[in-house]
């Protein structure tokens, strides 16, 4: 395992992981135009070999597909990885709050004790493990009090089935309720150069309470890699199809950002994506940056970002470029 990867703690749990994590939503295929299992397994293996220990997945990513692929990839390597997976989106019962339909099945937000008990066993089986390092409530269930959900998660922790508790897609009010109900070690939220709302809503709470923050969509669904040509078209169920954020005008803005931060990238012999990830990890309150990869090449590219430390002057150059070029981005 690479010793150069930045390591950070997951709140007060006693569990630490690489600051760059592998996000496996795309590996599940759903909303990403399908998946190639063997390429995905190679991507996970390459991540681990490069020193990335944090692997984030969820049952909802392909209705269990992502967890199954992760399980195959980590077989014989469990001691080298920190697994984060989720609960709260289920399609086995009609309980809770209807959220959406997937593959003709209704998916509900449900964080009742019986739902979590079912989900944890399903996830452990798909992942081929007997414990989850970080167990995260995926979306919040308006029908179950947070205190009740936390009590269930604390029992799982006491039983040794999970090592740390997290929550995702929370409001500031939700997070305060989690804090008051027990030991929450992490949140997982969307954050990037163009999605910075949590800086004023959630990060003040996490920093006061020693809660780690996992940022997802750190590369804004690939937009901030600078690799998506203005003429590229998205097809099938790819969620970027028709997304105004991927307009030609926005891609041009990203191209200008890439040009502006090129000197920083050249100094580190790094790609734009690597510099964007390194910038994300340098932001106050951001502990981990989750980056998707569906090929070994992409995984290795992301891992390199976990070895980059940006200086104060470099961060200032990047911040100036963000202010100049990423303003008024479409939603």
């Amino acid at each position: 395992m690479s010793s150069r990867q930045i390591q950070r703690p997951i709140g007060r749990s006693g569990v630490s992981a690489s600051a760059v994590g592998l996000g496996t939503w795309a590996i599940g295929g759903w909303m990403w135009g399908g998946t190639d299992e063997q390429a995905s397994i190679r991507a996970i293996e390459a991540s681990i070999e490069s020193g990335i220990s944090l692997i984030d997945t969820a049952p909802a990513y392909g209705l269990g597909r992502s967890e199954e692929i992760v399980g195959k990839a980590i077989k014989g390597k469990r001691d080298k990885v920190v697994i984060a997976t989720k609960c709260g989106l289920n399609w086995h019962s009609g309980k809770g709050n209807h959220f959406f339909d997937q593959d003709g099945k209704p998916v509900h937000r449900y964080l009742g004790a019986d739902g979590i008990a079912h989900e944890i066993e399903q996830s452990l089986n798909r992942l081929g493990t007997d414990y989850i390092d970080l167990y995260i409530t995926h979306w919040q269930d308006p029908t179950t009090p947070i205190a009740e959900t936390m009590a269930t998660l604390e029992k799982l922790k006491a039983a040794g089935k999970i090592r740390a508790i997290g929550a995702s897609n929370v409001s500031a009010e939700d997070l305060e309720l989690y804090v008051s109900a027990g030991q929450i070690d992490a949140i997982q939220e969307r954050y990037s150069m163009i999605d910075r709302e949590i800086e004023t809503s959630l990060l003040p709470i996490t920093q006061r309470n020693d809660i780690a923050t996992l940022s997802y969509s750190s590369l804004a669904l690939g937009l901030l890699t600078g690799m998506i040509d203005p003429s590229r078209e998205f097809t099938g169920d790819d969620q970027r199809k028709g997304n105004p954020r991927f307009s030609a005008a926005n891609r041009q803005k990203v191209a200008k950002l890439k040009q502006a931060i090129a000197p920083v990238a050249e100094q580190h012999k790094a790609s734009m994506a690597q510099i964007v990830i390194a910038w994300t990890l340098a932001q106050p309150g951001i502990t981990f940056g989750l980056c998707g990869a569906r090929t070994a090449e992409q995984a290795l590219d992301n891992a390199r970002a976990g070895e980059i430390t940006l200086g104060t002057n470099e961060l200032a150059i990047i911040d100036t470029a963000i202010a100049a070029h990423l303003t008024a981005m479409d939603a």
Side-chain angles (χ1 to χ4, degrees), residues 197-212:
E197 296 83 4
I198 67 170
E199 289 180 350
T200 53
S201 59
L202 298 177
L203 295 187
I205 302 171
T206 62
Q207 289 173 295
R208 282 198 307 271
N209 293 282
D210 199 13
I211 299 169

Side-chain angles (χ1 to χ4, degrees), residues 250-331:
N250 281 353
R251 293 187 222 181
Q252 291 288 1
K253 291 177 182 179
V254 171
K256 290 178 181 177
L257 175 76
K258 183 177 183 178
Q259 186 176 19
I261 68 175
V264 177
E266 289 167 8
Q267 180 66 31
H268 290 274
K269 296 182 173 59
S271 66
M272 177 178 174
Q274 290 164 345
I275 295 301
V276 170
I277 295 166
W279 174 90
T280 302
L281 293 173
Q283 300 312 298
I286 301 296
T287 320
F288 302 97
L290 300 175
C291 307
R294 290 201 282 185
T295 67
E297 183 181 24
Q298 291 171 348
L300 293 172
D301 194 65
N302 292 343
R304 171 77 176 88
E307 302 173 359
I308 297 171
T309 300
L310 297 170
T312 303
N313 290 342
E314 292 173 324
L315 289 167
I317 290 170
I318 296 168
D319 287 337
T320 298
I322 292 170
H325 303 297
L326 295 189
T327 55
M329 294 285 277
D330 293 331

Side-chain angles (χ1 to χ4, degrees), residues 73 87 171 231:
C87 62
S171 65
S231 63

